Amino acid sequence: MNKNVLLSIMLGCYLLPIYYVYYYYDANCSVSNVICNDDRKHHILWFMIAMGIGTVLYEVERNDHYSLGLISILLIGIYGLIMVNEANTIHYVFAAAVFVAILCFMIRHCVLTECDVVLSASLLLEMVMLVYIIMHMDMVIGICIMYI
């Protein structure tokens, strides 16, 4: 299948979850509150599964086994985040798996593209966010627990 068609399918399937998060975020403490809501999570999960199928097909088309493995970890983590409420500790394990998979995926592609400017800037931003999250973990979890 054409890579551009697969990318279009992935983008289309990702738009509804983005809309849900955008629309409902103000009334919630976190993105996890939005995606774990019982009224929305099955709609979001369906579109994320469709997006995941498109992503896996894209990676198969690229014939990059390392990227496919990282994407698989990312997708399992996303599905876990959607299905497990953030009050459960395993939710944070899924969140860490997602973050690490994205980080590794970006590092791999930064090396493959000889440090493309946009990808390198995104990687740097993700690393800064990681340091910030680690430094403020107690505060972030404390705020979210207040809303549960």
Side-chain angles (χ1 to χ4, degrees), residues 12-117:
C13 290
Y14 201 55
L15 287 176
L16 182 71
I18 289 173
Y19 171 76
Y20 272 136
V21 170
Y22 173 79
Y23 186 78
Y24 291 106
Y25 183 78
D26 286 341
N28 293 276
C29 149
S30 67
V31 172
S32 291
N33 276 151
V34 175
I35 66 173
C36 291
N37 181 289
D38 289 331
D39 296 335
R40 293 183 286 273
K41 75 177 172 183
H42 297 291
H43 297 283
I44 291 173
L45 181 63
W46 190 90
F47 279 95
M48 293 308 291
I49 288 171
M51 192 260 323
I53 291 168
T55 305
V56 167
L57 291 173
Y58 181 84
E59 290 301 331
V60 167
E61 185 76 21
R62 288 185 60 228
N63 199 26
D64 185 344
H65 300 293
Y66 295 109
S67 290
L68 181 59
L70 291 169
I71 290 296
S72 298
I73 293 168
L74 174 65
L75 292 171
I76 291 167
I78 288 172
Y79 304 147
L81 284 171
I82 294 169
M83 295 308 296
V84 177
N85 190 293
E86 71 180 326
N88 192 324
T89 306
I90 193 77
H91 182 87
Y92 295 98
V93 173
F94 283 122
V98 166
F99 206 90
V100 169
I102 292 170
L103 184 63
C104 291
F105 185 87
M106 290 177 69
I107 289 170
R108 173 166 172 67
H109 285 81
C110 188
V111 170
L112 290 176
T113 62
E114 298 176 358
C115 294
D116 174 69
V117 174

